[in-house]
Amino acid sequence: MVAASKLGALARDRGARWVMAGWTVFTVENLVMSEYKADIKKLWGGASGPKAYMTTYATLSTLASFSIFAAYWRFAQFGAMWTLPTLQTRALAFAFRAAGVVTLSQLCPPINLGALQIALGLYEPPRDLSPQVRGQMACPFDFNAYAGRGEVYGITRMSRRPELVGVGQD
């Protein structure tokens, strides 16, 4: 009975409805755009099909995300609050947030310090290298650092979807 009244208060809250609607639109948009990717590209046709698809996908995701963040920003201070957080609740929230940050930090690629020298103009990559290799040298992240390890290493040994675990803890 208490849980039903709390869920009812949450469903009546304007901000909560806006956030839930934003997440629903985001989820449905990602599902549709990912599941029917080939069909959508074929429907647009021509050489611009993949570019139009990516532009549409990025625009829809950005709009859905913006609506979620706008709802958080607009209604966060006035939303339905079930109870005031106790010291134990705050400590548990801090522990989960710290665990989420640690989990997400394990997913980041290593930083390429050599890219800083290229960005500052202190080092010029050799011209005989292909544009792809030159671009990789100038990228601030080394996405190829773990290429030889296979798919399962680090945090992925604990979870197949560590990004969801990290966001869920955060």
Side-chain angles (χ1 to χ4, degrees):
M1 185 68 152
V2 174
S5 68
K6 287 183 179 185
L7 286 176
L10 189 64
R12 286 189 301 273
D13 184 64
R14 208 167 135 201
R17 285 196 316 262
W18 192 358
V19 169
M20 285 186 277
W23 276 115
T24 302
V25 168
F26 182 81
T27 303
V28 169
E29 168 261 328
N30 274 285
L31 179 70
V32 169
M33 293 296 286
S34 297
E35 191 66 31
Y36 299 105
K37 180 179 183 177
D39 297 331
I40 293 170
K41 283 183 180 180
K42 192 185 326 176
L43 194 72
W44 267 310
S48 66
K51 185 172 169 64
Y53 168 81
M54 288 306 297
T55 302
T56 303
Y57 199 162
T59 302
L60 292 174
S61 289
T62 302
L63 290 173
S65 297
F66 177 76
S67 73
I68 295 164
F69 297 129
Y72 279 128
W73 179 76
R74 170 68 175 89
F75 296 106
Q77 295 179 3
F78 311 109
M81 184 179 277
W82 293 345
T83 60
L84 291 174
T86 63
L87 183 61
Q88 289 117 348
T89 305
R90 288 177 186 249
L92 192 60
F94 178 79
F96 274 117
R97 186 156 292 174
V101 168
V102 167
T103 303
L104 290 175
S105 73
Q106 299 300 308
L107 297 172
C108 297
I111 294 175
N112 179 10
L113 295 176
L116 182 61
Q117 293 176 344
I118 295 172
L120 294 174
L122 301 174
Y123 175 73
E124 179 70 27
R127 296 267 180 212
D128 60 334
L129 295 174
S130 70
Q132 181 181 5
V133 172
R134 289 174 57 89
Q136 288 174 353
M137 289 176 69
C139 181
F141 299 105
D142 187 4
F143 291 107
N144 294 324
Y146 303 131
R149 292 187 179 179
E151 285 189 30
V152 180
Y153 64 90
I155 197 72
T156 55
R157 281 187 259 158
M158 295 173 53
S159 170
R160 287 179 26 197
R161 296 286 179 212
E163 59 278 354
L164 296 177
V165 172
V167 170
Q169 290 173 339
D170 203 22

